[in-house]
Amino acid sequence: MWALFMHASIVVKLVMIGLVTCSVIVWAIIFDKFTTVRRVNRLANDFEERFWAGGSLEDLYESDGAKPVHPMAAVFGAAMGEWRRSSRISGIDLVHGGVQDRVNRAMAITITREMDRLNRWIIFLATIGPVAPFIGLFGTVWGIMHAFGSIAAMHNTNLSVVAPGISEALFATAIGLVTAIPAVIAYNVISNSMGVFEDRLDAFGTEFAAILSRQSEERGA
């Protein structure tokens, strides 16, 4: 493979270098996102265990929500913080004073922000997946043109004249496919995992909003 690279034309070399660089970035993103998905799900499991254990929401806010280190704690912290600020307003009606709407908006904004952060760089996988084969194909076409140029210059159609240029050209296509296939597969898997996690945050937000609504009604009773 090194010999194929060294004997390729400068344009094909640039294509190969670009594709290899993209492949390295793709695998770095894959490793980072799979690690991130496992980490946020593990932290969410731990948080939900503490949340549903029946302890004080105030204590949980002080320990996890005030300075959240993972998305679910951030959603909890945003809702709890808005609810606490509203409950301290003198004379406010927690049931009919628009508190629930503000809490829901705070959670929705936080979920969107956290998912945007988690989905960062995934668009690179979506871009490289369909584009890399065409970049490799460009290198292939250029290499074949170079091979035909060699035939014309040497006035010889012998296989020994044609084969090196064709091999270099096809090698560029192979690198493009090796770059694209993992990117497409990883994009689909990671996007699905992120979608599942976003649904999990939405479900938690809905359940927590119901709890806060019930507590508001109890205070207003």
Side-chain angles (χ1 to χ4, degrees):
M1 290 187 291
W2 180 251
L4 290 175
F5 172 79
M6 293 303 297
H7 288 91
S9 65
I10 184 63
V11 174
V12 179
K13 282 182 179 178
L14 291 175
V15 169
M16 292 180 180
I17 292 172
L19 288 172
V20 170
T21 302
C22 289
S23 181
V24 171
I25 296 174
V26 163
W27 281 106
I29 294 173
I30 291 172
F31 176 79
D32 175 69
K33 294 306 175 184
F34 274 104
T35 302
T36 299
V37 168
R38 287 197 300 268
R39 180 177 61 82
V40 295
N41 275 293
R42 175 176 52 80
L43 292 173
N45 290 337
D46 295 340
F47 177 81
E48 284 191 309
E49 286 183 5
R50 294 194 300 275
F51 180 82
W52 296 111
S56 170
L57 291 179
E58 294 289 342
D59 292 341
L60 188 60
Y61 176 78
E62 295 298 332
S63 62
D64 290 65
K67 295 181 179 180
V69 295
H70 59 90
M72 188 167 287
V75 174
F76 168 79
M80 193 66 183
E82 180 61 39
W83 189 78
R84 284 175 50 155
R85 286 189 294 271
S86 298
S87 63
R88 290 170 182 167
I89 299 176
S90 178
I92 190 171
D93 185 349
L94 292 176
V95 179
H96 303 101
V99 177
Q100 193 65 35
D101 289 338
R102 290 198 296 273
V103 168
N104 289 335
R105 283 198 297 270
M107 287 192 293
I109 292 171
T110 302
I111 290 174
T112 300
R113 183 176 63 248
E114 292 296 322
M115 292 310 302
D116 286 343
R117 182 176 60 83
L118 291 176
N119 285 318
R120 192 176 303 159
W121 290 105
I122 291 181
I123 189 64
F124 186 83
L125 299 180
T127 303
I128 289 299
V131 169
F134 291 101
I135 297 175
L137 184 60
F138 170 76
T140 300
V141 172
W142 191 274
I144 292 175
M145 290 171 56
H146 186 260
F148 282 133
S150 299
I151 293 173
M154 300 181 66
H155 303 285
N156 186 354
T157 58
N158 191 287
L159 186 61
S160 62
V161 176
V162 179
I166 300 298
S167 299
E168 297 155 8
L170 295 177
F171 186 46
T173 300
I175 296 176
L177 293 175
V178 168
T179 302
I181 292 173
V184 171
I185 295 174
Y187 174 77
N188 291 329
V189 174
I190 294 171
S191 295
N192 180 70
S193 298
M194 292 297 183
V196 171
F197 186 72
E198 185 174 6
D199 291 341
R200 183 178 184 181
L201 291 181
D202 287 332
F204 172 78
T206 301
E207 292 173 330
F208 187 44
I211 293 173
L212 292 180
S213 177
R214 184 165 56 251
Q215 290 198 2
S216 297
E217 291 175 358
E218 290 173 354
R219 287 195 179 189

